[in-house]
Amino acid sequence: VAPSGGGVFFKSGGHHNVRFFNNIFYSRNGAPLVVATDTTMDVSFHHNAYFSENGCYTFLWGDGRYTSLRDFQAATGQETLRGTPTGIVADPQLLAPGTAGTLGYPLDLEALRDRYSLQKRSPLIGQGIAVPLPAPFASITNDLQTDAATSNATPDIGAIAYNRPKWRQWFRDLF
């Protein structure tokens, strides 16, 4: 979440096998959620969440302008898998979106956790898709906060998985 707005911006081609899975695109001030001026590139979006604080949803794809995820899906084939819609529009219920400033490298993991973690009633919990990676990439074993990420579970959407209270796991282990 940038203080001034939008989601993701692609300006030119030359991109190959770029895939966006399980991301949150969060817009402020009416900024577009997706901008792709060159639609000949090999880019696809699947199982992402989109949210606009002011309720204005804008997707710019080539010469097209779409004002709903449904229209964007129908016109571009993005956020669909074998004809079935995969993206969702939902308030991710982040702890404090937009208050961490620009996140550069190295990442400030504490700022990420404290501001971009999902709250316990977030509709994005368990809504992602486990994505097999091509060689030579290895599957992740931890999220950005170093919490265990299991490949057989349905992941949460977003960079920081919801941390269920530890007492629940202790209780399960006891019984």
Side-chain angles (χ1 to χ4, degrees), residues 75-133:
T76 66
Q78 296 293 335
E79 287 295 355
T80 62
L81 189 59
R82 293 185 286 280
T84 302
T86 61
I88 63 171
V89 170
D91 181 347
Q93 298 180 20
L94 301 172
L95 290 176
T99 61
T102 301
L103 299 174
Y105 186 81
L107 290 175
D108 181 348
L109 296 179
E110 255 184 61
L112 275 174
R113 182 197 66 228
D114 294 345
R115 293 161 177 94
Y116 295 104
S117 291
L118 301 174
Q119 296 182 51
K120 70 179 179 180
R121 290 204 165 94
S122 172
L124 307 186
I125 296 171
Q127 295 302 308
I129 183 173
V131 181
L133 296 174

Side-chain angles (χ1 to χ4, degrees), residues 6-38:
V8 62
F9 177 79
F10 281 98
K11 186 174 181 176
S12 63
H15 303 287
H16 302 287
N17 294 318
V18 178
R19 306 290 181 253
F20 289 93
F21 291 98
N22 303 331
N23 293 284
I24 300 169
F25 296 103
Y26 193 112
S27 173
R28 303 196 124 156
N29 306 321
L33 291 153
V34 174
V35 178
T37 57
D38 180 357

Side-chain angles (χ1 to χ4, degrees), residues 58-81:
T58 304
F59 301 84
L60 303 174
W61 194 261
D63 293 331
R65 178 182 184 91
Y66 310 99
T67 57
S68 72
L69 177 60
R70 179 175 288 157
D71 290 346
F72 175 63
Q73 290 166 319
T76 66
Q78 296 293 335
E79 287 295 355
T80 62
L81 189 59

